[in-house]
């Protein structure tokens, strides 16, 4: 939908869009991700593959729920906030999508939140991470199946066993994902006695980490006790491998980071024994849904399911559960069904928190194992970190 048309007809469109679907109507779901324009596009493709496989699993291959055929609409945000807003409005308005799922970049997705409110339609956030996506600038039409920065960082803090002897320097990308993540990490350390001695932020496309690494080395090298550089990074650049190559061990400094997609885990072979926490690794979750996903993904694609494949499937399973249980198949009916809803996923049970619509879920602490017969480093499970171990802040309080 063009901008002029949106400005003229927004209120009328919102009223029409909120109308319930009739028995024979298809349910249109828009997948609104960046599939061109950035290295993050691999996350989008995994997410959309997982979503399609999740629909297949949940509907036993019929692609039909309660007599309604599911129709998928694909939209490319190009990783540009203005394009993302335009294609989401187009999905709700011109395409009549009941639900949209996306996006990939946290910064881009944040710009999509007001469009969901304008059209009074559900936006299910997957796989973007930042806490702010369910924060004060969010709204009641936004739900989030992806984990958030607080989950990443509380799990990471638990994996590091923080105490007075722990000193940390951090490296993150200079946008919503990175800054929300480090803010959450510092909050997770509060009261433990651990100290963050340096924070480094770099542009998303940074490939040379020499200057930032030297500043972190200088901040840590003379500290007593345990010294750790925490890296919170998405996409390319390989900061973990490049900083490991600079030999932080000569200062007694260890590296730590969260999990990642399988190709990126190849760089983790440089840090055997490294401890951290992850959202998903296909060998960690033990349940029938994950068993099916692993078997089918390997059969179809020749590889195990990856980080964001599991997230996409979790989102699809949430959508099907909501449609199956909603008393009315419109926005208000879906909101009532989804608030407080629990459902099973490849990671086990997730629950949409009523207050801010963030899905609470388990995380996985790991220790890196290197097997020469495996292309990537293995984040070997040390323990499951359950939702009740994490105190995830409520982001949005209005109803």
């Amino acid at each position: 939908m063009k901008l002029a048309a949106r400005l003229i007809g927004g209120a009328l469109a919102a009223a029409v869009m909120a109308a319930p679907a009739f028995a024979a109507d298809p349910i249109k779901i828009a997948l609104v991700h960046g599939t061109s324009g950035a290295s993050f596009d691999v996350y989008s493709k995994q997410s959309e593959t997982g979503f399609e496989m999740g629909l297949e699993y949940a509907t036993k291959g019929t692609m039909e729920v309660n007599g309604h055929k599911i129709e998928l609409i694909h939209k490319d945000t190009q990783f540009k906030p203005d394009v993302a807003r335009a294609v989401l409005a187009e999905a709700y308005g011109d395409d009549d999508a009941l639900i949209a799922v996306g996006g990939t970049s946290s910064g881009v997705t944040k710009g999509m939140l007001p469009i969901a409110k304008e059209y009074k339609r559900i936006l299910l956030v997957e796989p973007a991470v930042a806490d702010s996506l369910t924060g004060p600038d969010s709204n009641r039409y936004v739900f989030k199946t992806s984990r958030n920065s607080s989950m990443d960082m509380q799990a990471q803090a638990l994996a590091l066993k923080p105490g007075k002897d722990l000193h940390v320097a951090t490296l993150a990308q200079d946008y919503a994902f990175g800054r929300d993540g480090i803010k959450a990490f510092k909050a997770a350390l509060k009261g433990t006695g651990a100290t963050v001695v340096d924070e480094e932020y770099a542009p998303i496309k940074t490939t040379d980490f020499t200057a930032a690494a030297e500043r972190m080395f200088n901040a840590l090298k003379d500290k007593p006790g345990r010294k750790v550089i925490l890296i919170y990074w998405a996409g390319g650049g390989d900061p973990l491998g490049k900083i490991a190559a600079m030999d932080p061990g000569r200062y007694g400094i260890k590296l730590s980071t969260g999990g990642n997609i399988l190709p990126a885990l190849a760089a983790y072979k440089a840090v055997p024994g490294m401890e951290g926490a992850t959202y998903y690794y296909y060998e960690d979750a033990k349940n029938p849904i994950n068993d099916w996903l692993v078997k089918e993904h390997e059969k179809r694609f020749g590889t195990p399911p990856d980080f964001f494949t599991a997230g996409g499937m979790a989102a699809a399973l949430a959508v099907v559960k909501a449609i199956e249980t909603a008393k009315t198949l419109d926005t208000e009916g879906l909101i009532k069904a989804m608030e407080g809803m629990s459902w099973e996923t490849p990671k086990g049970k997730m629950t949409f928190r009523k207050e801010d619509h963030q899905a609470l879920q388990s995380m996985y602490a790991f220790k890196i194992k290197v097997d020469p017969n495996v292309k990537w480093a293995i984040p070997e499970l040390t323990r499951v970190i359950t939702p009740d171990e994490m105190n995830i802040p409520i982001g949005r309080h209005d109803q």
Side-chain angles (χ1 to χ4, degrees):
M1 177 178 285
K2 294 182 179 179
L3 180 60
R6 281 183 51 215
L7 293 174
I8 293 169
L12 177 60
V16 173
M17 292 305 101
F22 293 100
D25 291 344
I27 297 172
K28 297 181 180 180
I29 301 171
L31 300 182
V32 186
H33 295 102
T35 55
S36 65
S39 60
F40 293 174
D41 64 357
V42 64
Y43 301 168
S44 302
K45 291 167 185 174
Q46 288 183 10
S47 184
E48 294 196 352
T49 294
F51 193 88
E52 291 169 357
M53 292 182 73
L55 290 180
E56 178 185 346
Y57 180 89
T59 66
K60 297 181 172 59
T62 66
M63 292 294 282
E64 185 175 303
V65 185
N66 290 354
H68 296 270
K69 283 289 185 182
I70 300 294
E71 181 179 324
L72 292 182
I73 301 163
H74 294 263
K75 300 288 184 181
D76 181 8
T77 70
Q78 301 174 37
F79 294 95
K80 298 176 181 177
D82 58 337
V83 174
R85 290 190 290 270
V87 297
L88 182 59
E90 182 179 83
Y92 290 141
D94 295 351
D95 299 320
D96 196 21
L98 180 63
I99 300 168
V101 182
T104 308
S105 158
S106 293
V108 172
T109 305
K110 192 171 182 179
M112 295 161 60
L113 307 183
I115 306 300
K117 184 176 183 180
E118 176 184 349
Y119 281 86
K120 295 183 169 60
R121 285 290 171 111
I122 300 293
L123 173 61
L124 182 58
V125 175
E126 176 69 44
V129 174
D131 281 2
S132 54
L133 298 174
T134 50
D137 294 331
S138 190
N139 58 75
R140 65 190 296 270
Y141 302 100
V142 177
F143 287 77
K144 190 166 180 290
T145 47
S146 53
R147 91 281 187 191
N148 66 11
S149 301
S150 287
M151 293 177 195
D152 274 350
M153 289 309 178
Q154 289 195 27
Q156 193 74 20
L158 288 168
L160 292 176
K161 305 175 184 66
K164 291 181 179 179
D165 64 330
L166 179 64
H167 297 85
V168 184
T170 65
L171 171 66
Q173 286 159 311
D174 193 9
Y175 85 117
F177 169 79
R179 288 193 172 272
D180 279 13
I182 300 307
K183 180 181 177 182
F185 181 69
K186 291 165 66 179
L189 292 182
K190 191 173 181 180
T192 67
T195 305
V196 174
V197 299
D198 183 39
E199 296 175 44
E200 298 290 334
Y201 297 95
I204 293 173
K205 295 183 179 180
T206 299
T207 57
D208 183 354
F209 300 93
T210 305
E214 291 293 351
R215 288 191 293 270
M216 290 188 289
F217 291 171
N218 288 333
L220 284 169
K221 64 183 182 181
D222 295 326
K223 299 294 183 185
R226 294 182 293 142
K227 296 170 281 194
V228 174
I229 290 175
L230 174 70
I231 300 169
Y232 195 53
W233 200 267
D238 187 22
L240 180 68
K242 290 174 180 176
I243 294 174
M246 296 175 67
D247 191 19
R250 69 186 190 272
Y251 300 120
I253 298 170
K254 293 184 176 182
L255 302 181
S256 182
T257 192
N260 214 319
I261 61 174
L262 299 180
L265 286 178
Y268 289 39
K269 286 194 170 190
V271 285
M274 183 188 76
E275 294 184 278
T278 190
Y279 164 79
Y280 175 82
Y281 182 67
Y282 71 98
E283 292 183 330
D284 291 347
K286 308 296 183 184
N287 60 72
I289 296 176
N290 192 56
D291 291 344
W292 181 90
L293 176 60
V294 172
K295 180 180 178 181
E296 287 298 316
H297 200 278
E298 288 181 331
K299 183 195 304 183
R300 298 176 194 188
F301 305 105
T303 64
D306 215 334
F307 212 71
F308 298 106
T309 319
M313 187 174 188
L317 295 171
V319 167
V320 172
K321 175 75 176 286
I323 293 170
E324 286 177 337
T325 57
K327 292 183 179 179
T328 58
L329 195 51
D330 56 9
T331 297
E332 291 304 315
L334 288 170
I335 290 174
K336 289 177 183 177
M338 293 170 75
E339 287 187 336
M341 182 182 85
S342 294
W343 74 103
E344 295 299 323
T345 81
K347 294 182 60 182
K349 186 172 78 171
M350 292 188 184
T351 301
F352 281 129
R353 185 163 54 185
K354 184 176 180 179
E355 292 85 352
D356 62 358
H357 302 170
Q358 170 64 54
L360 303 180
Q361 57 200 274
S362 294
M363 301 287 284
Y364 303 94
F366 66 78
K367 188 172 186 177
I368 288 297
K369 173 184 173 182
V370 175
D371 183 338
N373 298 314
V374 180
K375 292 180 181 179
W376 51 84
I378 300 167
E380 191 170 43
L381 180 68
T382 55
R383 74 181 186 94
V384 177
I385 299 171
T386 58
D388 59 359
E389 294 182 71
M390 297 178 282
N391 181 22
I392 307 302
I394 296 173
R396 181 179 61 82
H397 293 268
D398 65 293
Q399 286 299 310

